[in-house]
Each structure stands twice: as C-alpha cells, then as structure tokens.
Amino acid sequence: MEVMQYQIVLVNLDPTIGSEIKKSRPCVVISPDEMNKYLRTIVIAPMTTTSKKYPTRVEIKHDNKIGWIVLDQIRTVDKQRILKELGRLTKPEIKEVKSILLETYIE
C-alpha cells in the first residue's frame, strides 16, 4: 500500500502505556510523501470521537461521524500496523492541521 500524507488509515496502536490512545483506530498520516516512500515507518496523529475542544485537536467529519485529530499524541509507527485505508482529509482540514502543527511545534 502506498501511504500518502493526510491520508486517513486504520492503525493498530496496541500495545500502549498510560494515557496513550489505544486500540485500532483511524489515524492521519502526518509524515511527508518523500519519507513515506522510502522509510518503513510513518508519522501519524490518532483520531477519536470522544474529546473536548483542545487547541491541539482538529474537529473533522469522517465516516458520517464528528471526530478529532489528536495532534498532541503524534507518534511514529511501522507501516505493518496499518490495517486499511479509510480516506483523506479535505483541503480545509489539511489547512487547519498545518496551522495547528505550525503553532504548536514550530513557533
């Protein structure tokens, strides 16, 4: 499977420790295509349907549900953890993710 930035994929996140987001769940691929093409790992942000409105979370509609991309729990996982492809973020969602990543991790 070719993995692309801003794609939504189902990822098995177990095992986890403490407050890390658990189980298999949709995740957004954050790593750029150049990395995704050559490395066996990808950088992802998990998604959840139960969240409060934190400044590091992006609200989106996916699979006819309201959910949040959890940018405060970004992690690197092996591509073997990907179970299947689920979709892709819209252009406005990508713009908001980029804005929050910039504000949170760069500035």
Side-chain angles (χ1 to χ4, degrees):
M1 169 196 298
E2 186 179 357
V3 181
M4 305 292 286
Q5 188 176 39
Y6 305 118
Q7 187 175 30
I8 301 171
V9 290
L10 184 64
V11 179
N12 177 1
L13 298 174
D14 287 329
T16 58
I17 298 174
S19 298
E20 296 171 348
I21 290 184
K22 302 168 178 48
K23 68 184 182 178
S24 294
R25 65 178 59 242
C27 297
V28 174
V29 178
I30 302 296
S31 49
D33 293 340
E34 191 69 16
M35 287 174 58
N36 299 334
K37 184 176 180 180
Y38 295 106
L39 299 178
R40 295 178 63 186
T41 57
I42 56 171
V43 179
I44 53 102
M47 294 171 57
T48 184
T49 55
T50 55
S51 178
K52 294 180 180 161
K53 198 157 178 83
Y54 294 119
T56 54
R57 303 201 175 174
V58 177
E59 186 175 332
I60 68 164
K61 185 174 183 180
H62 172 69
D63 200 24
N64 294 318
K65 297 177 190 169
I66 299 296
W68 287 267
I69 303 168
V70 185
L71 295 173
D72 51 278
Q73 289 215 20
I74 290 174
R75 65 178 100 173
T76 302
V77 297
D78 193 284
K79 289 179 184 173
Q80 291 181 64
R81 288 185 176 268
I82 299 173
L83 303 175
K84 66 179 177 177
E85 181 183 346
L86 299 175
R88 183 165 173 78
L89 296 183
T90 64
K91 287 185 180 184
E93 291 165 345
I94 291 169
K95 186 176 180 180
E96 189 171 356
V97 166
K98 285 181 174 183
S99 174
I100 292 175
L101 286 172
L102 183 66
E103 184 178 330
T104 304
Y105 294 105
I106 303 202
E107 294 186 358

